[in-house]
Amino acid sequence: MIRIENVTKYHEGRVVIDDVTLTIADNTNVGLIGPGGCGKSVLLKIVCGLIKPDKGRVLIDDIDVHKLKPTELAELRFRIGMLFQNYALFDSMNVADNIAFPLRQAGETDEELIAEKVKQALIDISLPGIGERYPNELSGGMKKRVSFARAVIRRPPIVFYDDPTAGLDPVTSSKIFILLRKMQHDHNTTSVTISHDIEGIKDICDRFAMLDRGRLIFEGDRPAIEACEDSLVSQFWQGYSDDELNV
Amino acid sequence: MHRLATTLQAPFHWLGQTALSWSFNAGGLALLTLQVLRNLLPWRWQFDGPETWRNLYRVGVKSFPIVVVTAVLVGAIMVIQSGLYIEQYGAYGLLGWGAGYSILREVGPILIGLMFSGRVGANNTAELGTMKVTDQVDALRALAIDPIGYLVMPRFIAMILMMFLLVVIGNFTALIGGAVTSQVLLDVNMVLFFQSVIAYVLLDDLLHGLIKAVAFGFAIAIISCHFGLSTSGGAVGVGRAVNASVVGSAIAIFVLDYAITFASL
């Protein structure tokens, strides 16, 4: 279980995350939504220990992430997979090495086994035979899928997806959501998915949380968010705006 | 009124920002140096083998041609400069000493250091800076990999080792360049040139230059890695970081050169 308790983060005197408390139960996929710049990615980075909060704490299975020693934090991170918003593929490595990287770093030395796992991962993301290509030779959608394969190659029990379909066409987005659902179904992962694609995450998330200007303004399941009367939440969920455009 | 207040505040604002920026960089450089030295301890010794080989190739082999060209020209220039006085006094037997002494102790390490910082240091900062702004450094940390062990240590080892070797090669090449120039332009026999080097240039002079090479390699590695890993602000930020890295390395080279020369008196 992941528990975020009263987390606050400031950046250059401005509050980015404002006293957020949220619980993510085991084997659930929480959809984290909200307008751009509301602090979703920062919250995700705080949860996996990449950014330290100024107040509050994050507990993963009752372990305070930000009080761990570097070696203990490294052990915890072996249990976490993360897909970054802008892919974060290593430019100096080809696709196969990018995907194999977490396995090698975890101490796997059997190159035949690694090659087999990489081959299967590329089949799973419908990109067989691109192992020798470099990230700069791939389209955005391909990079996203390779990044997904790298995030889950170690089969981590906890996975964070930061906007997995940003900037992708509807077909590729659909493929990514199918992969997310398959991962959830096959491996019972606990995950948090940030997305602006409400239609896409409606079907893959068990619960939803919405941030606005760093504050958590909603947390609940799908019926609850659909019945929510808060105008910000309902507008975001249904994708409309009360404001007139002055054009 | 508000505009006047803003104008009056501007110099203080600039001073404050500059002081904060210098403090941040001084602290960051000190911290990175400590982390690197800690990783060098036998019981904490950790660096990535393949990444180290990649950097040794990138830093050393790829810099070889530019260092050789620079060194040949440095040797030739030193001979041409000293040739004016050598011819005037007929002291042809001192030409090798004059060129060798200045090349080995001073000009060789300094010029190769500056070339190295411009080529390798700038490239290193740009690569790490791009990795930082595209979340690749965070991706490493998310995969339970220490960026110091994986990114900084291989570069640190490669830069110190290769700076040392490039200065050795550069010194040798500069002497050859000087000998050829003395033969062609001043009609001083190359054998006489090398006899003069061997007779008058001391082992201390060579070691003095090599100590400088190691110190310059150390400084360029730490400075370029620090500015790379503290990059923020996208492509513009990478440009700023590269600029700061090259300027910082050049300053460090001259400060260290002065300190080592002064200490050897």
Side-chain angles (χ1 to χ4, degrees):
Chain A
M1 186 174 74
I2 301 168
R3 179 143 179 83
I4 302 163
E5 288 181 357
N6 307 104
V7 165
T8 299
K9 178 73 189 172
Y10 299 96
H11 180 66
E12 292 177 355
R14 193 172 58 88
V15 65
V16 182
I17 300 292
D18 191 359
D19 197 26
V20 169
T21 297
L22 179 67
T23 301
I24 299 152
D26 285 340
N27 308 330
T28 58
N29 186 359
V30 172
L32 188 56
I33 59 175
C38 70
K40 303 183 293 291
S41 297
V42 174
L43 185 62
L44 216 54
K45 286 185 176 180
I46 288 173
V47 174
C48 64
L50 295 173
I51 296 177
K52 206 168 182 177
D54 294 311
K55 286 181 197 164
R57 59 181 189 163
V58 176
L59 303 170
I60 295 182
D61 294 338
D62 296 325
I63 299 166
D64 190 337
V65 174
H66 298 280
K67 283 194 176 161
L68 292 175
K69 291 175 188 164
T71 48
E72 294 168 335
L73 188 58
E75 275 176 36
L76 177 73
R77 282 181 179 152
F78 276 113
R79 297 172 47 214
I80 298 174
M82 182 146 183
L83 186 153
F84 285 82
Q85 191 173 16
N86 49 6
Y87 329 115
L89 293 174
F90 303 122
D91 298 327
S92 59
M93 297 178 197
N94 64 25
V95 166
D97 286 336
N98 259 289
I99 297 173
F101 189 73
L103 295 173
R104 293 196 177 110
Q105 292 300 322
E108 182 59 71
T109 51
D110 185 344
E111 285 298 324
E112 276 184 29
L113 182 69
I114 290 173
E116 189 55 42
K117 283 189 175 180
V118 169
K119 191 179 168 189
Q120 187 55 49
L122 287 171
I123 292 168
D124 289 346
I125 58 170
S126 308
L127 292 173
I130 65 150
E132 296 302 312
R133 288 208 222 165
Y134 279 81
N136 63 355
E137 298 170 303
L138 306 179
S139 69
M142 290 161 96
K143 281 182 192 171
K144 209 68 160 191
R145 282 186 275 169
V146 171
S147 185
F148 173 85
R150 188 182 66 183
V152 301
I153 189 83
R154 286 200 296 225
R155 298 286 176 254
I158 300 167
V159 193
F160 299 124
Y161 305 104
D162 190 351
D163 222 344
T165 57
L168 302 184
D169 63 84
V171 176
T172 312
S173 296
S174 166
K175 282 181 186 170
I176 296 269
F177 281 125
I178 290 168
L179 286 171
L180 260 64
R181 197 184 301 140
K182 190 170 182 295
M183 182 71 192
Q184 173 90 1
H185 180 263
D186 293 353
H187 304 286
N188 280 330
T189 53
T190 304
S191 52
V192 178
T193 307
I194 291 177
S195 184
H196 294 110
D197 186 348
I198 300 296
E199 285 307 312
I201 60 165
K202 268 179 183 173
D203 297 326
I204 64 158
C205 293
D206 309 295
R207 297 183 73 79
F208 300 90
M210 182 166 167
L211 289 182
D212 180 51
R213 281 172 281 182
R215 289 189 69 84
L216 185 71
I217 59 168
F218 174 84
E219 199 275 320
D221 58 13
R222 186 170 170 179
I225 198 167
E226 282 172 345
C228 184
E229 289 178 359
D230 184 309
S231 61
L232 271 176
V233 178
S234 60
Q235 279 181 37
F236 198 84
W237 184 257
Q238 290 163 32
Y240 74 89
S241 171
D242 278 343
D243 297 333
E244 285 181 21
L245 281 173
N246 295 316
V247 288
Chain B
M1 189 66 189
H2 178 257
R3 203 168 167 180
L4 179 68
T6 311
T7 311
L8 288 173
Q9 279 174 357
F12 298 103
H13 181 75
W14 179 85
L15 262 177
Q17 277 215 320
T18 308
L20 278 175
S21 166
W22 277 75
S23 307
F24 171 81
N25 285 323
L29 286 167
L31 200 64
L32 186 61
T33 305
L34 283 176
Q35 285 174 314
V36 165
L37 293 177
R38 198 178 57 177
N39 270 23
L40 286 174
L41 295 172
W43 59 90
R44 291 188 62 98
W45 178 252
Q46 56 159 324
F47 67 97
D48 188 86
E51 187 68 5
T52 306
W53 276 114
R54 190 179 78 88
N55 277 287
L56 284 168
Y57 173 77
R58 205 169 55 99
V59 167
V61 179
K62 294 257 185 174
S63 301
F64 180 78
I66 190 89
V67 164
V68 166
V69 170
T70 308
V72 167
L73 291 171
V74 165
I77 292 164
M78 295 312 296
V79 165
I80 293 168
Q81 291 281 12
S82 47
L84 292 170
Y85 301 97
I86 295 290
E87 274 196 323
Q88 204 172 340
Y89 296 104
Y92 295 106
L94 294 177
L95 185 59
W97 168 73
Y101 181 84
S102 50
I103 287 169
L104 297 188
R105 282 186 77 95
E106 201 63 46
V107 186
I110 280 236
L111 285 183
I112 292 169
L114 291 173
M115 289 299 298
F116 195 80
S117 97
R119 208 200 86 81
V120 177
N123 183 293
N124 187 42
T125 303
E127 187 180 355
L128 291 180
T130 306
M131 287 185 78
K132 178 80 191 318
V133 298
T134 55
D135 277 343
Q136 291 178 54
V137 176
D138 272 347
L140 279 175
R141 292 169 64 209
L143 289 166
I145 296 152
D146 173 25
I148 302 295
Y150 185 77
L151 293 176
V152 177
M153 291 310 291
R155 285 164 171 77
F156 177 79
I157 290 165
M159 284 197 209
I160 290 183
L161 190 62
M162 284 305 168
M163 181 68 198
F164 178 84
L165 291 176
L166 287 171
V167 168
V168 170
I169 294 166
N171 284 343
F172 185 66
T173 318
L175 289 177
I176 291 175
V180 171
T181 310
S182 68
Q183 174 87 65
V184 174
L185 291 183
L186 304 174
D187 206 23
V188 175
N189 193 298
M190 281 200 277
V191 176
L192 180 63
F193 181 92
F194 279 114
Q195 276 175 345
S196 168
V197 172
I198 293 163
Y200 298 117
V201 176
L202 303 173
L203 186 63
D204 269 4
D205 300 326
L206 175 69
L207 290 177
H208 184 87
L210 294 180
I211 289 168
K212 284 182 179 175
V214 172
F216 297 166
F218 186 101
I220 294 166
I222 295 289
I223 290 169
S224 63
C225 287
H226 162 71
F227 282 107
L229 290 176
S230 56
T231 303
S232 61
V236 178
V238 174
R240 270 199 305 261
V242 171
N243 185 38
S245 167
V246 173
V247 173
S249 296
I251 292 170
I253 285 171
F254 286 109
V255 170
L256 283 170
D257 187 47
Y258 172 80
I260 295 169
T261 306
F262 187 78
S264 70
L265 289 177

